[in-house]
Amino acid sequence: MSLPEIATRADWRAARAALLAKEKAATRARDALNAERRGLPMVEIDKEYVFEGGCGKATLLDLFEGRDQLVVYHFMFAPEWDAGCRSCSAFLDQLGHLAHLRARGTSFAAVSRAPYPKILPFKARMGWTLPWYSSLVSDFNADFEVTRAHEGELVERPGLSCFLREGERVFHTYSTYERGLDGLGSTTSLLDLTALGRQEPWEKPEGRATALGAPAGSEAVRYHDEYED
């Protein structure tokens, strides 16, 4: 095994300071990239997708649960499988409390091709309470490029898609797949992928922080049982 070199405390501090400068540069670059992502155009969804969940049939608009944004995790669970993907399961395991997303007007849901009667017992086994829907009877997985034909078979891949609504109109704003999911799972990392972002006053473009009617950035963070929603 190759372990780090042993150094004095002074040498460690000097090396740490050099690395810190690079870390701060990476943070500034990430902020700029997030701003550029929020500057992407959006595409209106004009197809009627049908999902099945705990309350029966649902539309894509229903998945918003009345909020302005929706983050969908494309969970790999093919209809013929007996259990969900292990890597996708690890992703959902690391999610924080959804109250912090919801307080920023953002809903989260998992979507898989497996029929809902298969999803339900696996969801219970994993101990998850987050919304999870079946897209078996719709083109949702194919249209968002997470189920693709390869050599005569349908192949799954993990992904994440973000949506924004304006009244009854739904828009697709962003998607990422496979290695693009690395490092995601926290509230801020998911919000960074959305059109409204973290809703902090310093974020660009200006005006997104108050798009939901009131600032909901770090100044509005509460204990998860203190949010009104």
Side-chain angles (χ1 to χ4, degrees):
M1 182 182 295
S2 177
L3 299 176
E5 295 181 3
I6 299 174
T8 65
R9 177 59 62 181
D11 288 342
W12 181 90
R13 285 174 175 161
R16 179 67 188 95
L19 181 61
L20 180 60
K22 295 180 180 180
E23 288 176 338
K24 288 185 175 181
T27 297
R28 291 190 291 270
R30 183 190 63 198
D31 289 344
L33 182 62
N34 290 339
E36 187 172 349
R37 182 185 295 112
R38 289 189 294 273
L40 286 173
M42 59 186 184
V43 179
E44 186 165 8
I45 304 298
D46 53 13
K47 181 181 287 190
E48 286 291 331
Y49 296 110
V50 177
F51 305 90
E52 184 178 0
C55 296
K57 302 298 182 182
T59 66
L60 184 58
L61 184 62
D62 292 330
L63 271 58
F64 281 76
E65 299 180 330
R67 301 182 183 92
D68 292 275
Q69 296 195 124
L70 170 67
V71 175
V72 167
Y73 182 71
H74 301 286
F75 191 108
M76 294 171 60
F77 195 164
E80 64 273 18
W81 297 359
D82 294 323
C85 166
R86 289 182 175 86
S87 295
C88 291
S89 298
F91 183 92
L92 292 192
D93 278 339
Q94 71 182 349
L95 288 180
H97 205 290
L98 294 182
H100 301 292
L101 274 177
R102 292 167 176 167
R104 289 162 176 77
T106 305
S107 291
F108 181 94
V111 172
S112 303
R113 276 199 312 128
Y116 192 69
K118 274 194 172 183
I119 291 174
L120 193 59
F122 183 71
K123 177 182 175 181
R125 171 188 167 187
M126 295 293 100
W128 297 327
T129 59
L130 54 82
W132 194 351
Y133 298 86
S134 169
S135 60
L136 179 62
V137 298
S138 78
D139 298 327
F140 187 76
N141 277 46
D143 289 351
F144 287 90
E145 303 178 24
V146 290
T147 300
R148 298 174 294 173
H150 179 68
E151 297 181 352
E153 296 184 359
L154 292 179
V155 178
E156 308 278 328
R157 67 168 173 167
L160 189 147
S161 294
C162 300
F163 302 89
L164 181 71
R165 78 176 181 96
E166 186 178 32
E168 300 294 303
R169 301 173 69 190
V170 175
F171 301 88
H172 174 223
T173 60
Y174 184 73
S175 286
T176 189
Y177 308 96
E178 298 171 320
R179 285 296 305 275
L181 301 171
D182 288 358
L184 299 179
S186 66
T187 297
T188 52
S189 69
L190 294 176
L191 288 171
D192 282 343
L193 303 183
T194 67
L196 300 182
R198 303 184 190 187
Q199 297 149 47
E200 299 281 2
W202 50 263
E203 286 183 304
K204 304 295 182 183
E206 296 179 358
R208 301 278 174 95
T210 56
L212 300 180
S218 56
E219 294 295 324
V221 172
R222 301 288 182 268
Y223 295 112
H224 69 246
D225 62 354
E226 290 184 346
Y227 291 116
E228 292 183 3
D229 186 356

